[in-house]
Amino acid sequence: MAAASAQRRREELWGAMLEMTRSAQEKNSDPIHWAIRLSSSLGSAGVSLPSVDLAHLLVSHICWDNHVPIAWKFLEKAIAVGIVPPMLVLAVLSSRVIPSRRTYPTAYRLYMELLKRHAFSFGSLINGPDYEKVMKSIDNILDLSQIFGLEACDPGILVMAFVFSLVWQLLDASLDDEGLIEMTPEKKSRWATKPPDMDIDGQDTFSGKETERQEMMHGANTSMAIEVIVAFLQNTVTARILYLARRNMPSHWVGFIQRLRLLAANSVVLRNLKNITPEALLQLTSDNRNVLTREGKTVSQQEFHAVTASGSLISSAGQCHGASQSALWLTIDLFLEDCMDGSQVTATSAVEMLTVLAKALRSANSTTWHDTFLGLWISALRLVQRERDLIEGPVPRVDTCLCMLLSVTTLAIASIIEEEERTMEQTDVVVSYQRKERHSQGKRRKDLISSLQQLGDYEGLITPPQSVCSVANQAAAKAMMYISGRTAGNGFYECVSMNDMAMNCSGNMRHLIVEACIARNLLDTSAYLWPGYVNARSSQIPRNISSQTPGWLSLMKGSPLTPSLISTLVSVPASSLAEIEKIYEIALNGSEEEKISAATILCGASLVRGWNIQEHTVVQITRLLSPSIPSDYSGPESHLIGYAPFLNVLLLGISSVDCVQIFSLHGLVPQLAAALMPICEIFGSTVPNISWAGTSGEELSSHAVFSNAFTLLLRLWKFDHPPLEYMMGDVPPVGTHLSPEFLLLVRNSQLACSRNSTNDQVGSESLSGTLAPSPVEPLFMDSFPKLKRWYRQHQKCITSTLSGLVQGTNVHQIVDALLSRMFRKIGRGGPLTPTTSGSSNSSGSAAEEWAIRLKVPAWDILEATPFVLDAALTACAHGRVSPRELATGLKDLADFLPASMATIVSYFSAEVTRGIWKPVFMNGTDWPSPAANLLTVEQQIKKNIAAIGVDVPSLAVGGSAPATLPLPLAALVSLTITYKLDKASERLLTFIGPALNSLAAGCPWPCMPIIASLWAQKVKRWNDFLIFRAAQTVFHHNSDAVVHLLKSCFSSTLGLSSSQISSGGVGALLGQGLGSHFSGGISAVAPGILYLRVHRYIRDVMFMSEVILSLLMHFVREIANSGLPRERVEKLRKTKYGMRYGQVSLAAAMTRVKVAASLGASFVWISGGVNLVQSLIKETLPSWFISGYKSEQEAGDMGGMVAMLRGYALAYFALLCGAFAWGTDSASPASRRRPKVLGAHLEFLASALDGKISLGCDSATWRAYVSGFVGLMVSCAPKWVLEVDVDVLKRLSNGLRHWNEEELAVALLGQGGIKAVGSAAELIIKIGC
C-alpha cells in the first residue's frame, strides 16, 4: 500500500512538472524563470538535483510532440542551471535524435550544439552526488556494457565507453548520410542511426522548408558532425579518454578506425571542409600520437625526458665517446663479447637473448628500428674486428664471431621483423582500398634496408678479416653479375676465380650481411642496385667463367659422391637450404658409405661457415645423432650399435671449440645433450668385442664412440667448475648451474612450447626447425640408468671422500686390472693397493690377463676409476710411484678410455678442494719446473692489467720458497703436458683445459701463473692466451681488485680515466681484443674484456650487485662535476659564478648518466642473470633507499643536482636490469617471473609514498627515482604496468599527484588495463588535462 501511494505521489509530481512546462511553453515564458520555478518546486518536493527523472521527462516532452524552439531552450536552460545531468541528457538525446535526424534535421543540429557546449565538461558529473546513478542510467540507455563487452560496472569505465559511443555514433551517422555505411564489413551501424520501421517520415515540425532546403540542412549537419568528431579528437580531455578506449578496447578501436579511414577516403563533405583535411583527421588517431605522454613539471625533469627520448645513432661506431648515443648500445657489445668465452655454454639461444636485448634497448633509448638495427650490425662488426687478430689458444676463433654477425644477428633481426608482419596479418586492419604487398608492409623491414644502406659509411668496420676476404669478394662479384644481367647460380661461388675479377671490386662485410639477409627473405636482389654497393664497371666483369659445374651444383644435378666431390663439399659451404636438405636426405637414406660421407660434409664448411643456412645445419646434425629404428631391424642390442661409424663421424665433426660454441649460440645445447645421452647409455653399456673401421682406416671400438660422445656431453654443462661451488649449502650461487637434469628439462620445455604455441616468437618461420628435433617425446634422467648412476657417483666424489670398494667384487677386479695396466713398467716390487680395499691378491697380472679383465663396458671402468686414482695418488705421495710414472700411468689410462679423463678431472678437482694432500715442489727433478720463464710471466701479467691499478702479488720463488702445487693439481698438469699438441689430442685438451683453468683459479696464488709458465714452455704460441688466463686469477683471490676492475670499466667508458687519454665509449671499454697488437709483446687488456672473463669465477655474486650500485652513485657525482678533481670542484664553487654544473649542460650530463646506468645494468645482468636482477629489484634497491646513501654528500645547488641525477640514474638502471632479464614484452620465458618481482617493488614504492616506510635517502633522489622509474615503465615497458595490481597503481598515482605529477599519474593508470581505466578517466577529468 505504501509503495503504491509513493508511486502515485511520484506520478502526480512529475505530472505537475510536465504541466508547468507546457504552461510555460504556451505562454512563451522566459526559460530562466521557468527553470527557477521548476527547481523550487522540485526542492520543496524533496527531489535531489540534478534529477535523472527530470532529464528523461524533458527529452520525452520534446521528442516529438513538442519539437519547438522554446522546448529546446527550456532543455538547454535546465542543463545550464544544473537541474538535469548534462551527460544523461546527451545520452537520451543521442538515442532519440540520431535515428530520426533525417526526419528532424533541426533537432540533430540542436543536439550537436548541445554536444559542443556540454560534452567536454565532465567535472560536474564525476563530482556530483549521483555520479554512479547517472552513469548506470546512461549505460541502460545506450547498452554500453553489452556493446563493448564490459564486465566491470565502474562508473569511470562507463565514462570512457560513453565518450567513445558519442563519437562513434556521429561517425556512423555521417557514413550513413553519405551512403558509405554499406562499404563497412558489417554493412550497417552498430548504433541506431535510422528510425524503426514503424516510424512515419515527415517534415520538420517547425522548419516549414522545402525538400531541397532540407537536403541542404542534411549536408550541413554532416559537416557539423564531422567537425564535432574532430573536436572530440582534439580536445585534451576527450582525446585522452578516447586514447584509453584505444588501449583497453583494441578490437572495438580497430572497427572504429576502419570506419574513420573509410570516411577519410570517400567522404565528399570532408573534402569540402576548410578547417580539416582527411589526412589531418587520420593523424589525430595515428599510432604516433600518444596523448598520454607526459612532460615533466620542472626544468630538470624536462631535460631528463628529452634525453631519455633521444637515441639517434649519430656518433662514430668505432671509438664511441662516453657521452655519445652510440655508447648506449654497449650492452649488445658486452653480450656478444661474453658469448665468445669458450668456457661458457648456455642452454638459451643467443638469437632469443639478442632479440630481447634489441627490443629492450630500443624501448629504453626511445630509438627507431633503423637505429636499433644499425646498432646491432655495428656491435657485431666491432666483435669481428676485435677478434680478427685473436691470440692463439683453445678458445673460439673468428668463425664463432662470424656466426654471431651473419647468422645470430641476422636471425634476431628476422625474428623482430616477422613479429611485426605477423601481427599485422593477424590484426587485419587494412581494408580493401589500402591493401599492400606483404613484403612492403612492415616498417621494420624498411628500417632494416635503410640501416644496411647506411652501414656502407663505416668503411673501417666492414673491412673483412683476411680469412674471409675471398668469400666477401665472391659476394661482391655476385652482385656485379646481377647488375650486368648475367645470372649466377648456386655454382657461381665455386666456378668464378677472383683472379678473373677487377682488383677494385673487392668485397666487404656488408656484402656478406646482405647475402645473409637475402637468404632469409629479409631482402631481395634489388639490394645489389643500391648506390655504391659495388664499385666495378661492366667492362670489368669476367666473361670467361668456367662452364664446369663442380661442388654443390654438381650434387644438385645428381652427381654421385666421389672422393673429389666430397672434398669440395667439405671445404665449400652450402649456399641454400635445398643443398643442405639434399645432403641430409643422403645421410638418412643413402648407403653406409654415402651416409658417412654426408655426415662428413654436414660437419664441414657448411656447419662452420655456412652462415646463410647455419640454423638448419645444426638442427639436421642434431637429428642425425638420433637415427630412427630401421623398419627391418630385429635384434637384442640397440639399433644405434649399427650406426657406430656414422655417429662417430658426427661426434668428431662437431667437437671443436668453434662448433660447440655455434651449437650453443643457436640454442641447440639442450637438444644436443638429449641426443648424446642415448649414445652414451648404449655404447657405454656395450662390451668392446666388436670393432669397426674408422674413416681413416683406424680401428673403432664401442669405447671410442662412447668416449667421444661422453666428453662432448660433459662440455655442455658446467662440469669443469670448481667443486667448492657444489659445497656452498643447499642453494647454489646466483645463476643456474647447467646439469644433465636441467638440460633435459629445458629441452622438454622447448618442445612443449613449440607444440603448444605455433605463434611463439622463437618459433618464427626462420627458426621453426630449431625446436622440433626428433625424437619429440619428453626425456628424463631415469631414461638413462647408467648415466644417472655415474652422475650420482660423480656428485658423491665431489661432496665426500672416497669409500665403498669391496674386495672381490667386479669393481675391485677392474681396479686391479687398471692399476696393473697403468704401472706395468714399474720394476720394483710391492703392490699398488687401493686405500680402501685391503691387500691385493696379486702384485701384477700378465698383460693378457688384465686385457681380458678390461673387456668390460665403459660404465664399469668409469665406476672403478676413482679408486684407481686414489690408489695412484696415495702411492705417489708415499714414494712408491714417481711423479713421472704417475703422469705416464694416467696418460695410459686416458689413452685406454678417453672418457676416464672426466673422472680424472672431477676426482682431482675434489681432492684439491678438500686440501688433504701436501703440496709438491715443482723443482724440475721430480715435477716439471716453471722457473725458466716464471719471472717473465710475472712481468707480462703486470703489463696485462697495468691499466687497472691493481698490484700483482710477487711470483718470486726459489731458494727456501720453491714453486709448489697441490699433489692432485700437479699430477693433472703433468698429465696435460705429456700430450702432443696435434689434432688427435686436441679434443681431450679442449675438454680438460677449461677444467684445469677453473681448478687453478680456485687454488691459492700463484698456482695459475705456475701452470701458465709450464704450458708456455711447451706451446710458445699460446703464451699470450696463458698470460691472460693467469692475469685473471689476480681478481679471483682479491675482492678489492674486482672493485678496482669495475671502477676502471666505468671510468674508461665514461672517459673519466685519469691514467689514460681516452674519449670513452665501447672502444675504451673493450679495446681491440686480446692480441699483442703493439711491438714489444704483451699490451694492457681493456677492462671490459677482463671483467667478462673474470665474473664467472666470482662466487659472491650478490656482492657484485652492491658494488655496481655503489660505483654507479660514485660516477654520477663525477659526471655532475664533469670529471674534475674534488679540489678543482671546490675552487670553482667559490668563484663568482660557481661551477655551472661542471661547465657542461644538464642534457650532456644526463646522457652520460644514462651510459653509466646502462653499463651498470649490463654488468648486473651478465654477472648473475635473472636471479641477480630479481634480487637487486626486490632486496638491494629497497634496502639502499631505506638505509640511504650517506657518503660523499654534496653541498648547495650541486648537492641537489647530484641527488636528482642519482635518482634518475637508479631509475634507468633498474628499468634496464628488468628489461634485460625479462624483456619489455611477454615473448621471453623469463617474463613469467616478472609480475611477482615487479609487483613487490612497486608495492614498496607505494608504501613509501603512503608514508608506511621511512626512507634514509635524499628526498630529491627518491622523488627522481620514483617519477623516473614509473615514467620509463609507462613509456618503455607498458606491458609491465598491465601485470601490476590495480590497487598498487592507484596508490602510486595518488602519490604522484601529491608531487604535482598529474600527467604521469594519468599515464600510469592509463596503461593499467581495463580495471584501472575508470580511475584514469576520472583523473583526466579532475586535472582537466
Side-chain angles (χ1 to χ4, degrees), residues 223 226-227 230 234 269-282 284:
S223 298
I226 294 174
E227 291 172 352
V230 172
Q234 289 178 332
V269 174
L270 175 58
R271 286 198 294 270
N272 291 331
L273 291 177
K274 296 180 180 180
N275 56 347
I276 188 70
T277 64
E279 294 75 17
L281 176 62
L282 293 178
L284 292 174

Side-chain angles (χ1 to χ4, degrees), residues 823-1113:
F823 302 108
R824 60 187 178 275
K825 296 181 181 179
I826 297 178
R828 69 178 73 91
L832 292 175
T833 306
T835 58
T836 58
S837 64
S839 299
S840 176
N841 293 329
S842 171
S843 61
S845 303
E848 295 81 3
E849 182 180 346
W850 53 253
I852 294 173
R853 291 164 62 186
L854 292 178
K855 283 281 187 179
V856 295
W859 289 120
D860 294 348
I861 297 175
L862 289 183
E863 184 179 1
T865 302
F867 301 102
V868 173
L869 299 175
D870 184 63
L873 275 185
T874 302
C876 184
H878 290 84
R880 297 198 300 272
V881 170
S882 70
R884 186 180 299 275
E885 290 167 340
L886 176 62
T888 303
L890 291 174
K891 186 174 186 301
D892 188 273
L893 173 61
D895 289 343
F896 171 65
L897 182 66
S900 64
M901 188 66 81
T903 304
I904 294 174
V905 169
S906 65
Y907 177 76
F908 282 0
S909 297
E911 292 302 302
V912 169
T913 304
R914 278 190 273 272
I916 60 178
W917 300 92
K918 292 182 179 180
V920 298
F921 297 106
M922 313 300 290
N923 52 21
T925 303
D926 298 319
W927 299 92
S929 172
N933 62 339
L934 194 57
L935 291 179
T936 303
V937 167
E938 178 181 6
Q939 295 302 317
Q940 291 177 332
I941 290 176
K942 290 180 178 179
K943 287 184 179 180
N944 230 219
I945 60 177
I948 310 302
V950 175
D951 293 330
V952 178
S954 176
L955 299 181
V957 294
S960 60
T964 62
L965 289 177
L967 174 58
L969 181 57
L972 191 57
V973 175
S974 299
L975 170 61
T976 60
I977 61 178
T978 62
Y979 283 93
K980 295 179 180 179
L981 199 62
D982 54 22
K983 192 169 184 179
S985 58
E986 180 183 356
R987 290 187 299 277
L988 277 182
L989 291 176
T990 300
F991 169 72
I992 199 174
L996 183 62
N997 180 71
S998 299
L999 177 58
C1003 291
W1005 183 269
C1007 288
M1008 189 62 200
I1010 291 173
I1011 294 173
S1013 299
L1014 294 171
W1015 262 98
Q1017 292 175 36
K1018 180 178 177 64
V1019 190
K1020 289 183 170 53
R1021 66 179 185 273
W1022 283 12
N1023 183 77
D1024 290 3
F1025 165 76
L1026 294 167
I1027 295 303
F1028 179 59
R1029 287 296 193 190
Q1032 296 172 28
T1033 57
V1034 174
F1035 303 92
H1036 298 163
H1037 301 283
N1038 187 346
S1039 59
D1040 290 337
V1042 177
V1043 176
H1044 276 288
L1045 177 57
L1046 280 169
K1047 191 172 184 178
S1048 179
C1049 290
F1050 275 94
S1051 59
S1052 298
T1053 305
L1054 298 170
L1056 300 176
S1057 177
S1058 59
S1059 61
Q1060 58 183 358
I1061 300 175
S1062 171
S1063 58
V1066 177
L1069 177 65
L1070 297 177
Q1072 302 301 319
L1074 299 179
S1076 301
H1077 301 291
F1078 305 101
S1079 59
I1082 293 289
S1083 61
V1085 178
I1089 295 286
L1090 196 51
Y1091 181 77
L1092 291 176
R1093 300 299 178 261
V1094 166
H1095 74 84
R1096 290 187 179 88
Y1097 300 96
I1098 300 172
R1099 295 191 180 95
D1100 188 3
V1101 184
M1102 300 298 297
F1103 161 76
M1104 297 311 303
S1105 65
E1106 296 172 2
V1107 168
I1108 292 169
L1109 180 58
S1110 176
L1111 287 174
L1112 176 60
M1113 297 296 94

Side-chain angles (χ1 to χ4, degrees), residues 722-739:
L724 185 61
E725 293 190 4
Y726 298 89
M727 303 170 64
M728 298 176 64
D730 296 331
V731 180
V734 175
T736 304
H737 278 285
L738 296 184
S739 65

Side-chain angles (χ1 to χ4, degrees), residues 735-757:
T736 304
H737 278 285
L738 296 184
S739 65
E741 296 103 326
F742 177 75
L743 290 175
L744 288 178
L745 287 174
V746 173
R747 180 257 186 195
N748 295 340
S749 176
Q750 288 177 338
L751 293 179
C753 290
S754 68
R755 286 195 299 264
N756 297 335
S757 178

Side-chain angles (χ1 to χ4, degrees), residues 677-718:
M677 288 181 187
I679 299 175
C680 293
E681 186 74 16
I682 298 301
F683 285 92
S685 303
T686 302
V687 177
N689 291 329
I690 59 174
S691 62
W692 305 268
T695 54
S696 302
E698 78 282 5
E699 185 177 283
L700 181 65
S701 68
S702 60
H703 281 184
V705 178
F706 168 78
S707 294
N708 291 331
F710 188 64
T711 53
L712 181 57
L713 173 63
L714 295 191
R715 289 167 61 189
L716 303 184
W717 54 283
K718 293 186 177 181

